[in-house]
Amino acid sequence: MKNYKIYVTAKEGIFNPAGATAATALGQLGYDGVNNVRVGKFIELQTKDDVQRQTVTEMCEKLLANPVIEDFRIEEE
Amino acid sequence: MKNYKIYVTAKEGIFNPAGATAATALGQLGYDGVNNVRVGKFIELQTKDDVQRQTVTEMCEKLLANPVIEDFRIEEE
């Protein structure tokens, strides 16, 4: 069994609505030291031993991330 | 300026609908080596220098995570 961790983040320059909303809400809660918030996805993928990193990259490109507006990074444990 | 990275994951035993959907969809795409998928949040928080980790923990408990069903981990860069 293999464990992959995938970090999906909005590309540089792409507006991140969830992050903008969180930043506003934190300000309203009284946290005035927040400059910027960006919200992405953290995906834990458990696979059989024969699933290679290249296959996981494909899964990200096809389904787990949106390569037009998101970057992703894969870590194997 | 400080950079915090926050990883929000569903607690052990809590059903993760986004992960279950992704696992099914990957199977339908022909990837049969996937055992389990869990989808959480990856939050990048940029703050002023005087914002301590304890404050970020508070932000997670109050807004960024749902402590009833989610765990979170904070890293400072």
Side-chain angles (χ1 to χ4, degrees), chain A residues 7 9 31-33 35-38 40-48 58 62, chain B residues 7 9 31-33 35-38 40 42-48 58 62:
Chain A
Y7 306 86
T9 50
Y31 299 109
D32 53 7
N35 292 335
N36 193 29
V37 186
R38 292 177 79 80
K41 278 183 288 185
F42 172 53
I43 304 172
E44 294 163 293
L45 193 71
Q46 208 175 73
T47 69
K48 292 182 186 148
E58 262 182 52
K62 286 191 189 168
Chain B
Y7 306 86
T9 50
Y31 299 109
D32 52 7
N35 292 334
N36 194 29
V37 186
R38 292 177 78 81
F42 173 53
I43 303 172
E44 294 164 292
L45 193 70
Q46 208 174 73
T47 69
K48 294 183 185 147
E58 264 182 49
K62 287 191 188 165

PDB file of all heavy atoms in Angstrom, chain A residues 7 9 31-33 35-38 40-48 58 62, chain B residues 7 9 31-33 35-38 40 42-48 58 62:
ATOM      1  N   TYR A   7      -1.224  18.327  -2.706  1.00  0.00           N
ATOM      2  CA  TYR A   7      -1.559  19.692  -2.304  1.00  0.00           C
ATOM      3  C   TYR A   7      -2.011  20.448  -3.541  1.00  0.00           C
ATOM      4  O   TYR A   7      -1.241  20.594  -4.489  1.00  0.00           O
ATOM      5  CB  TYR A   7      -0.336  20.387  -1.701  1.00  0.00           C
ATOM      6  CG  TYR A   7       0.277  19.599  -0.564  1.00  0.00           C
ATOM      7  CD1 TYR A   7       1.209  18.598  -0.807  1.00  0.00           C
ATOM      8  CD2 TYR A   7      -0.118  19.828   0.742  1.00  0.00           C
ATOM      9  CE1 TYR A   7       1.743  17.851   0.230  1.00  0.00           C
ATOM     10  CE2 TYR A   7       0.409  19.094   1.791  1.00  0.00           C
ATOM     11  CZ  TYR A   7       1.343  18.104   1.518  1.00  0.00           C
ATOM     12  OH  TYR A   7       1.866  17.360   2.546  1.00  0.00           O
ATOM     13  N   THR A   9      -3.371  23.983  -5.058  1.00  0.00           N
ATOM     14  CA  THR A   9      -3.450  25.414  -4.721  1.00  0.00           C
ATOM     15  C   THR A   9      -3.831  26.214  -5.957  1.00  0.00           C
ATOM     16  O   THR A   9      -3.532  25.808  -7.082  1.00  0.00           O
ATOM     17  CB  THR A   9      -2.077  25.918  -4.224  1.00  0.00           C
ATOM     18  OG1 THR A   9      -1.079  25.504  -5.159  1.00  0.00           O
ATOM     19  CG2 THR A   9      -1.732  25.358  -2.868  1.00  0.00           C
ATOM     20  N   TYR A  31      -9.566  39.598  14.143  1.00  0.00           N
ATOM     21  CA  TYR A  31      -8.161  39.273  13.850  1.00  0.00           C
ATOM     22  C   TYR A  31      -7.663  40.216  12.772  1.00  0.00           C
ATOM     23  O   TYR A  31      -7.914  40.010  11.587  1.00  0.00           O
ATOM     24  CB  TYR A  31      -8.039  37.822  13.391  1.00  0.00           C
ATOM     25  CG  TYR A  31      -8.491  36.825  14.426  1.00  0.00           C
ATOM     26  CD1 TYR A  31      -9.662  36.110  14.268  1.00  0.00           C
ATOM     27  CD2 TYR A  31      -7.747  36.616  15.579  1.00  0.00           C
ATOM     28  CE1 TYR A  31     -10.087  35.199  15.233  1.00  0.00           C
ATOM     29  CE2 TYR A  31      -8.161  35.720  16.547  1.00  0.00           C
ATOM     30  CZ  TYR A  31      -9.325  35.023  16.367  1.00  0.00           C
ATOM     31  OH  TYR A  31      -9.750  34.137  17.324  1.00  0.00           O
ATOM     32  N   ASP A  32      -6.964  41.274  13.187  1.00  0.00           N
ATOM     33  CA  ASP A  32      -6.579  42.280  12.211  1.00  0.00           C
ATOM     34  C   ASP A  32      -5.153  42.091  11.686  1.00  0.00           C
ATOM     35  O   ASP A  32      -4.653  42.915  10.935  1.00  0.00           O
ATOM     36  CB  ASP A  32      -6.797  43.698  12.771  1.00  0.00           C
ATOM     37  CG  ASP A  32      -6.118  43.874  14.112  1.00  0.00           C
ATOM     38  OD1 ASP A  32      -5.387  42.941  14.521  1.00  0.00           O
ATOM     39  OD2 ASP A  32      -6.303  44.928  14.735  1.00  0.00           O
ATOM     40  N   GLY A  33      -4.514  41.008  12.053  1.00  0.00           N
ATOM     41  CA  GLY A  33      -3.144  40.792  11.591  1.00  0.00           C
ATOM     42  C   GLY A  33      -3.051  39.892  10.368  1.00  0.00           C
ATOM     43  O   GLY A  33      -1.961  39.487   9.978  1.00  0.00           O
ATOM     44  N   ASN A  35      -2.971  39.174   6.554  1.00  0.00           N
ATOM     45  CA  ASN A  35      -2.743  39.852   5.280  1.00  0.00           C
ATOM     46  C   ASN A  35      -3.417  39.148   4.110  1.00  0.00           C
ATOM     47  O   ASN A  35      -3.950  39.791   3.223  1.00  0.00           O
ATOM     48  CB  ASN A  35      -1.243  39.933   4.989  1.00  0.00           C
ATOM     49  CG  ASN A  35      -0.532  40.860   5.946  1.00  0.00           C
ATOM     50  OD1 ASN A  35      -1.147  41.768   6.510  1.00  0.00           O
ATOM     51  ND2 ASN A  35       0.753  40.631   6.149  1.00  0.00           N
ATOM     52  N   ASN A  36      -3.349  37.833   4.110  1.00  0.00           N
ATOM     53  CA  ASN A  36      -3.844  37.096   2.954  1.00  0.00           C
ATOM     54  C   ASN A  36      -4.162  35.655   3.348  1.00  0.00           C
ATOM     55  O   ASN A  36      -3.475  35.072   4.174  1.00  0.00           O
ATOM     56  CB  ASN A  36      -2.770  37.100   1.847  1.00  0.00           C
ATOM     57  CG  ASN A  36      -3.319  36.636   0.522  1.00  0.00           C
ATOM     58  OD1 ASN A  36      -4.505  36.807   0.228  1.00  0.00           O
ATOM     59  ND2 ASN A  36      -2.468  36.017  -0.285  1.00  0.00           N
ATOM     60  N   VAL A  37      -5.218  35.122   2.772  1.00  0.00           N
ATOM     61  CA  VAL A  37      -5.574  33.717   3.003  1.00  0.00           C
ATOM     62  C   VAL A  37      -5.816  33.075   1.652  1.00  0.00           C
ATOM     63  O   VAL A  37      -6.483  33.652   0.789  1.00  0.00           O
ATOM     64  CB  VAL A  37      -6.866  33.585   3.850  1.00  0.00           C
ATOM     65  CG1 VAL A  37      -7.127  32.125   4.206  1.00  0.00           C
ATOM     66  CG2 VAL A  37      -6.803  34.424   5.106  1.00  0.00           C
ATOM     67  N   ARG A  38      -5.266  31.910   1.464  1.00  0.00           N
ATOM     68  CA  ARG A  38      -5.557  31.141   0.260  1.00  0.00           C
ATOM     69  C   ARG A  38      -5.975  29.734   0.684  1.00  0.00           C
ATOM     70  O   ARG A  38      -5.287  29.085   1.474  1.00  0.00           O
ATOM     71  CB  ARG A  38      -4.342  31.074  -0.673  1.00  0.00           C
ATOM     72  CG  ARG A  38      -4.031  32.445  -1.279  1.00  0.00           C
ATOM     73  CD  ARG A  38      -2.803  32.423  -2.154  1.00  0.00           C
ATOM     74  NE  ARG A  38      -3.053  31.875  -3.474  1.00  0.00           N
ATOM     75  CZ  ARG A  38      -3.603  32.534  -4.475  1.00  0.00           C
ATOM     76  NH1 ARG A  38      -3.962  33.792  -4.333  1.00  0.00           N
ATOM     77  NH2 ARG A  38      -3.785  31.967  -5.653  1.00  0.00           N
ATOM     78  N   GLY A  40      -6.831  25.936  -0.418  1.00  0.00           N
ATOM     79  CA  GLY A  40      -6.702  24.912  -1.444  1.00  0.00           C
ATOM     80  C   GLY A  40      -7.153  23.571  -0.913  1.00  0.00           C
ATOM     81  O   GLY A  40      -7.832  23.498   0.115  1.00  0.00           O
ATOM     82  N   LYS A  41      -6.775  22.509  -1.598  1.00  0.00           N
ATOM     83  CA  LYS A  41      -7.177  21.171  -1.167  1.00  0.00           C
ATOM     84  C   LYS A  41      -5.970  20.361  -0.713  1.00  0.00           C
ATOM     85  O   LYS A  41      -4.861  20.508  -1.239  1.00  0.00           O
ATOM     86  CB  LYS A  41      -7.868  20.436  -2.320  1.00  0.00           C
ATOM     87  CG  LYS A  41      -9.327  20.805  -2.452  1.00  0.00           C
ATOM     88  CD  LYS A  41     -10.007  20.004  -3.545  1.00  0.00           C
ATOM     89  CE  LYS A  41      -9.554  20.457  -4.912  1.00  0.00           C
ATOM     90  NZ  LYS A  41     -10.277  19.794  -6.009  1.00  0.00           N
ATOM     91  N   PHE A  42      -6.214  19.510   0.257  1.00  0.00           N
ATOM     92  CA  PHE A  42      -5.204  18.578   0.754  1.00  0.00           C
ATOM     93  C   PHE A  42      -5.810  17.182   0.609  1.00  0.00           C
ATOM     94  O   PHE A  42      -6.785  16.851   1.268  1.00  0.00           O
ATOM     95  CB  PHE A  42      -4.901  18.906   2.214  1.00  0.00           C
ATOM     96  CG  PHE A  42      -4.014  17.920   2.899  1.00  0.00           C
ATOM     97  CD1 PHE A  42      -2.788  17.572   2.353  1.00  0.00           C
ATOM     98  CD2 PHE A  42      -4.382  17.338   4.096  1.00  0.00           C
ATOM     99  CE1 PHE A  42      -1.965  16.659   2.986  1.00  0.00           C
ATOM    100  CE2 PHE A  42      -3.563  16.427   4.740  1.00  0.00           C
ATOM    101  CZ  PHE A  42      -2.346  16.091   4.189  1.00  0.00           C
ATOM    102  N   ILE A  43      -5.250  16.408  -0.308  1.00  0.00           N
ATOM    103  CA  ILE A  43      -5.840  15.107  -0.643  1.00  0.00           C
ATOM    104  C   ILE A  43      -4.914  13.980  -0.202  1.00  0.00           C
ATOM    105  O   ILE A  43      -3.721  13.985  -0.520  1.00  0.00           O
ATOM    106  CB  ILE A  43      -6.093  15.003  -2.168  1.00  0.00           C
ATOM    107  CG1 ILE A  43      -6.980  16.164  -2.629  1.00  0.00           C
ATOM    108  CG2 ILE A  43      -6.730  13.660  -2.524  1.00  0.00           C
ATOM    109  CD1 ILE A  43      -7.127  16.263  -4.135  1.00  0.00           C
ATOM    110  N   GLU A  44      -5.462  13.047   0.551  1.00  0.00           N
ATOM    111  CA  GLU A  44      -4.707  11.854   0.937  1.00  0.00           C
ATOM    112  C   GLU A  44      -5.203  10.688   0.103  1.00  0.00           C
ATOM    113  O   GLU A  44      -6.385  10.357   0.140  1.00  0.00           O
ATOM    114  CB  GLU A  44      -4.889  11.580   2.426  1.00  0.00           C
ATOM    115  CG  GLU A  44      -4.272  12.673   3.289  1.00  0.00           C
ATOM    116  CD  GLU A  44      -4.788  12.638   4.718  1.00  0.00           C
ATOM    117  OE1 GLU A  44      -5.997  12.915   4.910  1.00  0.00           O
ATOM    118  OE2 GLU A  44      -4.006  12.340   5.626  1.00  0.00           O
ATOM    119  N   LEU A  45      -4.286  10.095  -0.630  1.00  0.00           N
ATOM    120  CA  LEU A  45      -4.640   9.042  -1.574  1.00  0.00           C
ATOM    121  C   LEU A  45      -3.930   7.756  -1.161  1.00  0.00           C
ATOM    122  O   LEU A  45      -2.707   7.724  -1.064  1.00  0.00           O
ATOM    123  CB  LEU A  45      -4.167   9.486  -2.966  1.00  0.00           C
ATOM    124  CG  LEU A  45      -4.653   8.741  -4.182  1.00  0.00           C
ATOM    125  CD1 LEU A  45      -6.124   9.035  -4.432  1.00  0.00           C
ATOM    126  CD2 LEU A  45      -3.844   9.190  -5.406  1.00  0.00           C
ATOM    127  N   GLN A  46      -4.707   6.736  -0.894  1.00  0.00           N
ATOM    128  CA  GLN A  46      -4.138   5.446  -0.522  1.00  0.00           C
ATOM    129  C   GLN A  46      -4.322   4.510  -1.706  1.00  0.00           C
ATOM    130  O   GLN A  46      -5.453   4.302  -2.153  1.00  0.00           O
ATOM    131  CB  GLN A  46      -4.905   4.925   0.682  1.00  0.00           C
ATOM    132  CG  GLN A  46      -4.126   4.010   1.584  1.00  0.00           C
ATOM    133  CD  GLN A  46      -4.960   3.674   2.802  1.00  0.00           C
ATOM    134  OE1 GLN A  46      -5.917   2.909   2.686  1.00  0.00           O
ATOM    135  NE2 GLN A  46      -4.631   4.248   3.941  1.00  0.00           N
ATOM    136  N   THR A  47      -3.213   3.974  -2.206  1.00  0.00           N
ATOM    137  CA  THR A  47      -3.295   3.140  -3.409  1.00  0.00           C
ATOM    138  C   THR A  47      -2.596   1.804  -3.199  1.00  0.00           C
ATOM    139  O   THR A  47      -1.868   1.617  -2.227  1.00  0.00           O
ATOM    140  CB  THR A  47      -2.613   3.825  -4.605  1.00  0.00           C
ATOM    141  OG1 THR A  47      -1.204   3.859  -4.361  1.00  0.00           O
ATOM    142  CG2 THR A  47      -3.122   5.230  -4.826  1.00  0.00           C
ATOM    143  N   LYS A  48      -2.808   0.916  -4.165  1.00  0.00           N
ATOM    144  CA  LYS A  48      -2.045  -0.332  -4.176  1.00  0.00           C
ATOM    145  C   LYS A  48      -0.584  -0.018  -4.497  1.00  0.00           C
ATOM    146  O   LYS A  48      -0.270   1.055  -5.032  1.00  0.00           O
ATOM    147  CB  LYS A  48      -2.634  -1.286  -5.226  1.00  0.00           C
ATOM    148  CG  LYS A  48      -4.020  -1.775  -4.811  1.00  0.00           C
ATOM    149  CD  LYS A  48      -4.612  -2.764  -5.812  1.00  0.00           C
ATOM    150  CE  LYS A  48      -6.047  -3.092  -5.414  1.00  0.00           C
ATOM    151  NZ  LYS A  48      -6.914  -3.366  -6.566  1.00  0.00           N
ATOM    152  N   GLU A  58      -1.423  11.874 -13.433  1.00  0.00           N
ATOM    153  CA  GLU A  58      -2.548  11.789 -14.376  1.00  0.00           C
ATOM    154  C   GLU A  58      -3.889  11.991 -13.676  1.00  0.00           C
ATOM    155  O   GLU A  58      -4.758  12.704 -14.169  1.00  0.00           O
ATOM    156  CB  GLU A  58      -2.567  10.391 -15.002  1.00  0.00           C
ATOM    157  CG  GLU A  58      -1.925  10.263 -16.356  1.00  0.00           C
ATOM    158  CD  GLU A  58      -2.078   8.818 -16.844  1.00  0.00           C
ATOM    159  OE1 GLU A  58      -3.203   8.277 -16.854  1.00  0.00           O
ATOM    160  OE2 GLU A  58      -1.031   8.249 -17.184  1.00  0.00           O
ATOM    161  N   LYS A  62      -6.570  14.891 -14.531  1.00  0.00           N
ATOM    162  CA  LYS A  62      -7.891  14.549 -15.073  1.00  0.00           C
ATOM    163  C   LYS A  62      -9.030  14.834 -14.119  1.00  0.00           C
ATOM    164  O   LYS A  62     -10.148  15.105 -14.535  1.00  0.00           O
ATOM    165  CB  LYS A  62      -7.923  13.055 -15.426  1.00  0.00           C
ATOM    166  CG  LYS A  62      -7.149  12.713 -16.674  1.00  0.00           C
ATOM    167  CD  LYS A  62      -7.461  11.279 -17.085  1.00  0.00           C
ATOM    168  CE  LYS A  62      -6.535  10.822 -18.198  1.00  0.00           C
ATOM    169  NZ  LYS A  62      -6.627   9.377 -18.417  1.00  0.00           N
TER     170      LYS A  62
ATOM    171  N   TYR B   7      -3.328  22.403   7.638  1.00  0.00           N
ATOM    172  CA  TYR B   7      -3.865  21.202   6.994  1.00  0.00           C
ATOM    173  C   TYR B   7      -5.096  20.776   7.755  1.00  0.00           C
ATOM    174  O   TYR B   7      -5.021  20.473   8.945  1.00  0.00           O
ATOM    175  CB  TYR B   7      -2.836  20.076   7.019  1.00  0.00           C
ATOM    176  CG  TYR B   7      -1.513  20.484   6.434  1.00  0.00           C
ATOM    177  CD1 TYR B   7      -0.542  21.113   7.214  1.00  0.00           C
ATOM    178  CD2 TYR B   7      -1.244  20.275   5.092  1.00  0.00           C
ATOM    179  CE1 TYR B   7       0.672  21.518   6.670  1.00  0.00           C
ATOM    180  CE2 TYR B   7      -0.043  20.670   4.530  1.00  0.00           C
ATOM    181  CZ  TYR B   7       0.913  21.297   5.326  1.00  0.00           C
ATOM    182  OH  TYR B   7       2.098  21.700   4.775  1.00  0.00           O
ATOM    183  N   THR B   9      -8.168  18.111   8.030  1.00  0.00           N
ATOM    184  CA  THR B   9      -8.561  16.772   7.573  1.00  0.00           C
ATOM    185  C   THR B   9      -9.767  16.288   8.370  1.00  0.00           C
ATOM    186  O   THR B   9      -9.951  16.677   9.521  1.00  0.00           O
ATOM    187  CB  THR B   9      -7.407  15.766   7.789  1.00  0.00           C
ATOM    188  OG1 THR B   9      -6.941  15.879   9.138  1.00  0.00           O
ATOM    189  CG2 THR B   9      -6.253  16.043   6.857  1.00  0.00           C
ATOM    190  N   TYR B  31      -8.902   3.820 -13.097  1.00  0.00           N
ATOM    191  CA  TYR B  31      -7.820   3.670 -12.118  1.00  0.00           C
ATOM    192  C   TYR B  31      -8.302   2.719 -11.025  1.00  0.00           C
ATOM    193  O   TYR B  31      -9.016   3.124 -10.111  1.00  0.00           O
ATOM    194  CB  TYR B  31      -7.443   5.023 -11.515  1.00  0.00           C
ATOM    195  CG  TYR B  31      -6.935   6.005 -12.538  1.00  0.00           C
ATOM    196  CD1 TYR B  31      -7.694   7.098 -12.921  1.00  0.00           C
ATOM    197  CD2 TYR B  31      -5.688   5.824 -13.130  1.00  0.00           C
ATOM    198  CE1 TYR B  31      -7.236   7.986 -13.872  1.00  0.00           C
ATOM    199  CE2 TYR B  31      -5.217   6.703 -14.079  1.00  0.00           C
ATOM    200  CZ  TYR B  31      -6.001   7.787 -14.448  1.00  0.00           C
ATOM    201  OH  TYR B  31      -5.536   8.662 -15.392  1.00  0.00           O
ATOM    202  N   ASP B  32      -7.910   1.441 -11.143  1.00  0.00           N
ATOM    203  CA  ASP B  32      -8.446   0.475 -10.194  1.00  0.00           C
ATOM    204  C   ASP B  32      -7.523   0.204  -9.014  1.00  0.00           C
ATOM    205  O   ASP B  32      -7.792  -0.665  -8.195  1.00  0.00           O
ATOM    206  CB  ASP B  32      -8.836  -0.826 -10.908  1.00  0.00           C
ATOM    207  CG  ASP B  32      -7.689  -1.351 -11.741  1.00  0.00           C
ATOM    208  OD1 ASP B  32      -6.580  -0.781 -11.641  1.00  0.00           O
ATOM    209  OD2 ASP B  32      -7.884  -2.334 -12.476  1.00  0.00           O
ATOM    210  N   GLY B  33      -6.452   0.952  -8.905  1.00  0.00           N
ATOM    211  CA  GLY B  33      -5.520   0.731  -7.795  1.00  0.00           C
ATOM    212  C   GLY B  33      -5.748   1.647  -6.605  1.00  0.00           C
ATOM    213  O   GLY B  33      -4.925   1.698  -5.695  1.00  0.00           O
ATOM    214  N   ASN B  35      -7.332   2.682  -3.229  1.00  0.00           N
ATOM    215  CA  ASN B  35      -8.030   2.090  -2.081  1.00  0.00           C
ATOM    216  C   ASN B  35      -8.899   3.101  -1.346  1.00  0.00           C
ATOM    217  O   ASN B  35      -9.988   2.788  -0.907  1.00  0.00           O
ATOM    218  CB  ASN B  35      -7.017   1.516  -1.086  1.00  0.00           C
ATOM    219  CG  ASN B  35      -6.300   0.317  -1.648  1.00  0.00           C
ATOM    220  OD1 ASN B  35      -6.826  -0.380  -2.517  1.00  0.00           O
ATOM    221  ND2 ASN B  35      -5.089   0.074  -1.180  1.00  0.00           N
ATOM    222  N   ASN B  36      -8.392   4.296  -1.195  1.00  0.00           N
ATOM    223  CA  ASN B  36      -9.100   5.262  -0.369  1.00  0.00           C
ATOM    224  C   ASN B  36      -8.650   6.681  -0.736  1.00  0.00           C
ATOM    225  O   ASN B  36      -7.492   6.914  -1.034  1.00  0.00           O
ATOM    226  CB  ASN B  36      -8.810   4.996   1.112  1.00  0.00           C
ATOM    227  CG  ASN B  36      -9.760   5.744   2.022  1.00  0.00           C
ATOM    228  OD1 ASN B  36     -10.907   6.010   1.654  1.00  0.00           O
ATOM    229  ND2 ASN B  36      -9.293   6.114   3.196  1.00  0.00           N
ATOM    230  N   VAL B  37      -9.595   7.602  -0.711  1.00  0.00           N
ATOM    231  CA  VAL B  37      -9.268   9.006  -0.956  1.00  0.00           C
ATOM    232  C   VAL B  37      -9.909   9.845   0.146  1.00  0.00           C
ATOM    233  O   VAL B  37     -11.073   9.622   0.501  1.00  0.00           O
ATOM    234  CB  VAL B  37      -9.811   9.505  -2.319  1.00  0.00           C
ATOM    235  CG1 VAL B  37      -9.324  10.910  -2.615  1.00  0.00           C
ATOM    236  CG2 VAL B  37      -9.429   8.573  -3.443  1.00  0.00           C
ATOM    237  N   ARG B  38      -9.164  10.741   0.701  1.00  0.00           N
ATOM    238  CA  ARG B  38      -9.734  11.680   1.660  1.00  0.00           C
ATOM    239  C   ARG B  38      -9.362  13.087   1.228  1.00  0.00           C
ATOM    240  O   ARG B  38      -8.197  13.376   0.950  1.00  0.00           O
ATOM    241  CB  ARG B  38      -9.226  11.408   3.079  1.00  0.00           C
ATOM    242  CG  ARG B  38      -9.773  10.071   3.619  1.00  0.00           C
ATOM    243  CD  ARG B  38      -9.228   9.735   4.983  1.00  0.00           C
ATOM    244  NE  ARG B  38      -9.874  10.466   6.050  1.00  0.00           N
ATOM    245  CZ  ARG B  38     -11.047  10.135   6.582  1.00  0.00           C
ATOM    246  NH1 ARG B  38     -11.708   9.091   6.122  1.00  0.00           N
ATOM    247  NH2 ARG B  38     -11.565  10.831   7.563  1.00  0.00           N
ATOM    248  N   GLY B  40      -9.263  17.040   2.126  1.00  0.00           N
ATOM    249  CA  GLY B  40      -9.316  18.046   3.179  1.00  0.00           C
ATOM    250  C   GLY B  40      -8.946  19.400   2.621  1.00  0.00           C
ATOM    251  O   GLY B  40      -8.941  19.602   1.405  1.00  0.00           O
ATOM    252  N   PHE B  42      -6.208  22.754   2.475  1.00  0.00           N
ATOM    253  CA  PHE B  42      -4.837  23.222   2.642  1.00  0.00           C
ATOM    254  C   PHE B  42      -4.907  24.746   2.607  1.00  0.00           C
ATOM    255  O   PHE B  42      -5.232  25.329   1.578  1.00  0.00           O
ATOM    256  CB  PHE B  42      -3.979  22.669   1.503  1.00  0.00           C
ATOM    257  CG  PHE B  42      -2.584  23.208   1.459  1.00  0.00           C
ATOM    258  CD1 PHE B  42      -1.771  23.164   2.574  1.00  0.00           C
ATOM    259  CD2 PHE B  42      -2.079  23.767   0.296  1.00  0.00           C
ATOM    260  CE1 PHE B  42      -0.482  23.665   2.535  1.00  0.00           C
ATOM    261  CE2 PHE B  42      -0.789  24.269   0.243  1.00  0.00           C
ATOM    262  CZ  PHE B  42       0.015  24.211   1.367  1.00  0.00           C
ATOM    263  N   ILE B  43      -4.649  25.356   3.749  1.00  0.00           N
ATOM    264  CA  ILE B  43      -4.831  26.809   3.862  1.00  0.00           C
ATOM    265  C   ILE B  43      -3.485  27.496   4.058  1.00  0.00           C
ATOM    266  O   ILE B  43      -2.706  27.109   4.938  1.00  0.00           O
ATOM    267  CB  ILE B  43      -5.759  27.142   5.048  1.00  0.00           C
ATOM    268  CG1 ILE B  43      -7.097  26.418   4.881  1.00  0.00           C
ATOM    269  CG2 ILE B  43      -5.965  28.653   5.174  1.00  0.00           C
ATOM    270  CD1 ILE B  43      -8.002  26.525   6.097  1.00  0.00           C
ATOM    271  N   GLU B  44      -3.208  28.490   3.241  1.00  0.00           N
ATOM    272  CA  GLU B  44      -1.996  29.297   3.399  1.00  0.00           C
ATOM    273  C   GLU B  44      -2.405  30.650   3.970  1.00  0.00           C
ATOM    274  O   GLU B  44      -3.206  31.365   3.381  1.00  0.00           O
ATOM    275  CB  GLU B  44      -1.306  29.464   2.051  1.00  0.00           C
ATOM    276  CG  GLU B  44      -0.767  28.153   1.515  1.00  0.00           C
ATOM    277  CD  GLU B  44      -0.437  28.217   0.032  1.00  0.00           C
ATOM    278  OE1 GLU B  44      -1.383  28.340  -0.777  1.00  0.00           O
ATOM    279  OE2 GLU B  44       0.744  28.142  -0.314  1.00  0.00           O
ATOM    280  N   LEU B  45      -1.847  30.948   5.123  1.00  0.00           N
ATOM    281  CA  LEU B  45      -2.234  32.147   5.858  1.00  0.00           C
ATOM    282  C   LEU B  45      -1.017  33.053   5.978  1.00  0.00           C
ATOM    283  O   LEU B  45       0.016  32.647   6.517  1.00  0.00           O
ATOM    284  CB  LEU B  45      -2.709  31.702   7.248  1.00  0.00           C
ATOM    285  CG  LEU B  45      -3.446  32.681   8.133  1.00  0.00           C
ATOM    286  CD1 LEU B  45      -4.836  32.952   7.558  1.00  0.00           C
ATOM    287  CD2 LEU B  45      -3.593  32.090   9.527  1.00  0.00           C
ATOM    288  N   GLN B  46      -1.149  34.255   5.468  1.00  0.00           N
ATOM    289  CA  GLN B  46      -0.057  35.223   5.554  1.00  0.00           C
ATOM    290  C   GLN B  46      -0.463  36.280   6.574  1.00  0.00           C
ATOM    291  O   GLN B  46      -1.504  36.923   6.412  1.00  0.00           O
ATOM    292  CB  GLN B  46       0.121  35.861   4.190  1.00  0.00           C
ATOM    293  CG  GLN B  46       1.521  36.336   3.894  1.00  0.00           C
ATOM    294  CD  GLN B  46       1.603  36.818   2.461  1.00  0.00           C
ATOM    295  OE1 GLN B  46       1.085  37.888   2.146  1.00  0.00           O
ATOM    296  NE2 GLN B  46       2.224  36.053   1.602  1.00  0.00           N
ATOM    297  N   THR B  47       0.351  36.432   7.612  1.00  0.00           N
ATOM    298  CA  THR B  47      -0.032  37.353   8.687  1.00  0.00           C
ATOM    299  C   THR B  47       1.094  38.337   8.997  1.00  0.00           C
ATOM    300  O   THR B  47       2.226  38.175   8.537  1.00  0.00           O
ATOM    301  CB  THR B  47      -0.331  36.593   9.993  1.00  0.00           C
ATOM    302  OG1 THR B  47       0.894  36.050  10.489  1.00  0.00           O
ATOM    303  CG2 THR B  47      -1.335  35.471   9.775  1.00  0.00           C
ATOM    304  N   LYS B  48       0.748  39.334   9.807  1.00  0.00           N
ATOM    305  CA  LYS B  48       1.783  40.226  10.331  1.00  0.00           C
ATOM    306  C   LYS B  48       2.674  39.452  11.300  1.00  0.00           C
ATOM    307  O   LYS B  48       2.295  38.400  11.804  1.00  0.00           O
ATOM    308  CB  LYS B  48       1.127  41.420  11.031  1.00  0.00           C
ATOM    309  CG  LYS B  48       0.375  42.302  10.049  1.00  0.00           C
ATOM    310  CD  LYS B  48      -0.225  43.529  10.712  1.00  0.00           C
ATOM    311  CE  LYS B  48      -1.058  44.284   9.671  1.00  0.00           C
ATOM    312  NZ  LYS B  48      -2.218  44.949  10.263  1.00  0.00           N
ATOM    313  N   GLU B  58      -6.620  29.524  17.398  1.00  0.00           N
ATOM    314  CA  GLU B  58      -7.949  30.094  17.651  1.00  0.00           C
ATOM    315  C   GLU B  58      -8.726  30.303  16.354  1.00  0.00           C
ATOM    316  O   GLU B  58      -9.910  29.995  16.273  1.00  0.00           O
ATOM    317  CB  GLU B  58      -7.797  31.460  18.317  1.00  0.00           C
ATOM    318  CG  GLU B  58      -7.888  31.481  19.818  1.00  0.00           C
ATOM    319  CD  GLU B  58      -7.760  32.925  20.308  1.00  0.00           C
ATOM    320  OE1 GLU B  58      -8.458  33.833  19.792  1.00  0.00           O
ATOM    321  OE2 GLU B  58      -6.909  33.134  21.179  1.00  0.00           O
ATOM    322  N   LYS B  62     -12.291  28.618  15.458  1.00  0.00           N
ATOM    323  CA  LYS B  62     -13.481  29.452  15.290  1.00  0.00           C
ATOM    324  C   LYS B  62     -14.009  29.490  13.865  1.00  0.00           C
ATOM    325  O   LYS B  62     -15.205  29.658  13.641  1.00  0.00           O
ATOM    326  CB  LYS B  62     -13.169  30.889  15.714  1.00  0.00           C
ATOM    327  CG  LYS B  62     -13.051  31.062  17.207  1.00  0.00           C
ATOM    328  CD  LYS B  62     -13.023  32.537  17.549  1.00  0.00           C
ATOM    329  CE  LYS B  62     -12.713  32.762  19.011  1.00  0.00           C
ATOM    330  NZ  LYS B  62     -12.345  34.150  19.274  1.00  0.00           N
TER     331      LYS B  62
END
